[in-house]
Amino acid sequence: MQEVILVKLGEIVLKGLNRRVFEDRLLKNIRRRIQRAGNFDVYSMQSTIYIVPKDADADIDEAEERVAKVFGVIGYTRACVCPKAMDAILETAPQYLEETLADVKTFKVESKRADKKFPLDSMQISREVGGALLRANPHLTVDVHNPDIVVRIEIREKGAYIHGETKPGAGGIPVGTGGRAAILISGGLDSPVAAWMMAKRGVELTAIHFASPPYTSERAHEKVVALLKKVGEYAGCIEMVTVPFTKIQEEIRDKCPEELATVIMRRFMMRAAERIARELASRNVGPIRVYNLSYADPSVVLRDVFRFDTLIVGGPTYNGNLFPPVAELLDRIAARGIPQRKFGWFGSFCWAGASVRLLAEFAQKMKWEPLCDPVEMKQGYSHEMCDPCATLAEAVAGCRCGK
């Protein structure tokens, strides 16, 4: 009898072309969060995330506890998997749910038949399973209006899943899909709650704490760390920067009007936080997406064209025109009239070049801002092309870092 965790998605399912970005981030966050619980296979199918133990050492109890605190999860449940056959379902359901049903008096069965090839419909499955549970648990009665528990049977692609009630998850959207932000953190309740609420909307956080020893103690610093650990159970890894503030605080005390001291001190904290945020942002250019249009789905690439403000396109000349998959992507972009993008391009050719010229015409047609001169290569990449390619990369970095 194999037991798995089924994770239900929340508002992610309402996303459009960028839905896959949110799902991929949620999968990544779940994998990272449960890695200490053992080896699990985590994948998404039919708007549900499956967490499957790979071996006997995987701690499904700890994995369940950790999944409950992952933003982007609206609900989760442990389920038993059995073959998609009524005999197997009728045998497995009473065994798996024995302890769950021992403490309740009423129940009902709800079935979902995602695999339409299954011979019975949802009502028939519920009727058969309900009868099997009644025979195995004589103390139970059926109540379809206000049951103590709802038993659910899900007929999916890889098997039949049997489980009880779905437990509520943390909700929100996955951390990492809402950008990055710095938050001023203190030992009170307001700032940790604000951090938790920001993380729930997908924001990756850097915490900035101002320490003023001897006016603030080491114990106060430890309290901040403890609060961030609590928030981190939901928000994931939070980088903390501690700023020594004693000298500035003393200067404000000595040289500023007493009635303005608090306002001035907060102003200096904001200036310091803004500087730290800019420095952190300048560490890297990301996020970056790279696609090979020879096999990538243009609709998937188009999704990220909507998300990002900078785009680099490259392709070879093909029979005096653009490489067909590149041309198809550009046609889709033009059809949607995506505005205000920064654009870099490169191309290659053997006899007569056309791709660089055609890409330039595309940029002009879309009124996109060129990043720098294009890079044109004869017969492919060579060492002589290092500098032009580096120039293109520096143009992107300068654009993304606001330089």
Side-chain angles (χ1 to χ4, degrees):
M1 187 181 297
Q2 184 184 24
E3 193 172 30
V4 303
I5 300 174
L6 302 180
V7 176
K8 307 298 183 180
L9 308 182
E11 61 186 275
I12 292 177
V13 300
L14 302 177
K15 301 298 179 181
L17 291 172
N18 61 347
R19 172 176 169 174
R20 191 63 198 175
V21 175
F22 288 82
E23 290 186 357
D24 288 346
R25 173 59 71 166
L26 180 56
L27 287 169
K28 180 179 179 181
N29 291 349
I30 290 175
R31 291 187 185 108
R32 184 175 65 247
R33 201 71 63 85
I34 69 172
Q35 61 184 356
R36 293 186 180 180
N39 295 321
F40 290 87
D41 188 17
V42 182
Y43 61 92
S44 176
M45 186 183 297
Q46 297 177 317
S47 298
T48 299
I49 291 177
Y50 299 77
I51 302 176
V52 183
K54 287 185 175 181
D55 51 49
D57 295 330
D59 189 341
I60 197 168
D61 294 324
E62 183 178 355
E64 181 185 12
E65 182 180 346
R66 290 175 175 271
V67 165
K69 298 178 180 180
V70 176
F71 286 131
V73 174
I74 193 66
Y76 64 95
T77 185
R78 287 166 69 158
C80 178
V81 190
C82 70
K84 289 188 294 184
M86 281 308 303
D87 289 343
I89 295 172
L90 296 177
E91 179 183 355
T92 305
Q95 296 177 13
Y96 180 67
L97 298 169
E98 181 179 3
E99 293 183 8
T100 303
L101 298 176
D103 299 327
V104 300
K105 296 181 179 180
T106 61
F107 80 105
K108 78 170 181 176
V109 180
E110 291 184 354
S111 301
K112 179 180 179 182
R113 188 172 59 113
D115 182 2
K116 302 304 181 184
K117 296 179 181 179
F118 195 76
L120 277 65
D121 62 27
S122 297
M123 291 296 294
Q124 292 171 327
I125 295 170
S126 297
R127 184 171 62 247
E128 293 293 329
V129 173
L133 294 177
L134 284 173
R135 290 190 293 272
N137 301 273
H139 69 284
L140 290 177
T141 58
V142 175
D143 185 345
V144 297
H145 299 293
N146 296 294
D148 294 333
I149 188 173
V150 178
V151 173
R152 290 183 167 83
I153 311 296
E154 300 185 31
I155 309 298
R156 293 181 172 269
E157 184 177 339
K158 291 191 174 183
Y161 296 81
I162 303 165
H163 62 89
E165 300 283 7
T166 298
K167 300 177 183 177
I173 58 178
V175 173
T177 58
R180 300 175 181 176
I183 184 167
L184 307 186
I185 197 83
S186 66
L189 288 177
D190 291 352
S191 53
V193 170
W196 186 90
M197 295 177 70
M198 292 169 67
K200 189 174 182 179
R201 300 314 304 163
V203 179
E204 287 187 63
L205 297 173
T206 295
I208 301 174
H209 175 63
F210 293 89
S212 303
Y215 307 110
T216 57
S217 64
E218 182 63 27
R219 185 175 179 181
H221 186 271
E222 292 173 355
K223 182 181 179 182
V224 171
V225 173
L227 287 170
L228 283 177
K229 286 182 178 178
K230 287 290 185 182
V231 177
E233 292 178 5
Y234 293 83
C237 181
I238 300 177
E239 182 178 2
M240 178 177 171
V241 178
T242 300
V243 180
F245 204 66
T246 304
K247 185 176 180 180
I248 295 176
Q249 190 171 345
E250 289 175 344
E251 289 290 315
I252 293 172
R253 179 197 62 192
D254 296 338
K255 298 179 180 179
C256 297
E258 183 178 352
E259 63 272 17
L260 298 178
T262 301
V263 175
I264 295 171
M265 183 170 64
R266 290 182 182 276
R267 170 58 181 154
F268 272 95
M269 287 182 175
M270 286 300 299
R271 290 178 62 183
E274 288 172 0
R275 177 63 182 272
I276 292 169
R278 285 195 297 268
E279 290 297 323
L280 291 173
S282 68
R283 290 180 183 177
N284 55 67
V285 177
I288 296 173
R289 300 285 185 272
V290 180
Y291 293 101
N292 186 337
L293 290 174
S294 297
Y295 52 82
D297 185 346
S299 62
V300 176
V301 183
L302 189 64
R303 172 197 65 197
D304 280 336
V305 175
F306 277 98
R307 293 184 62 233
F308 293 91
D309 63 359
T310 304
L311 179 68
I312 296 179
V313 175
T317 299
Y318 187 85
N319 290 337
N321 209 322
L322 280 171
F323 184 52
V326 177
E328 180 185 353
L329 174 64
L330 298 184
D331 288 342
R332 292 193 180 197
I333 293 172
R336 287 160 178 79
I338 302 174
Q340 298 177 342
R341 293 296 186 271
K342 299 176 180 66
F343 188 59
W345 65 97
F346 61 92
S348 63
F349 65 97
C350 291
W351 301 105
S355 59
V356 168
R357 173 179 55 81
L358 293 170
L359 288 168
E361 292 174 359
F362 170 81
Q364 185 175 9
K365 172 185 174 183
M366 299 295 296
K367 298 182 180 179
W368 285 1
E369 178 186 343
L371 290 170
C372 62
D373 292 335
V375 179
E376 191 168 38
M377 296 170 273
K378 185 175 182 179
Q379 297 180 341
Y381 184 82
S382 63
H383 290 293
E384 291 77 16
M385 305 311 301
C386 287
D387 289 342
C389 289
T391 300
L392 179 57
E394 289 169 3
V396 176
C399 160
R400 298 294 292 160
C401 295
K403 297 179 181 177

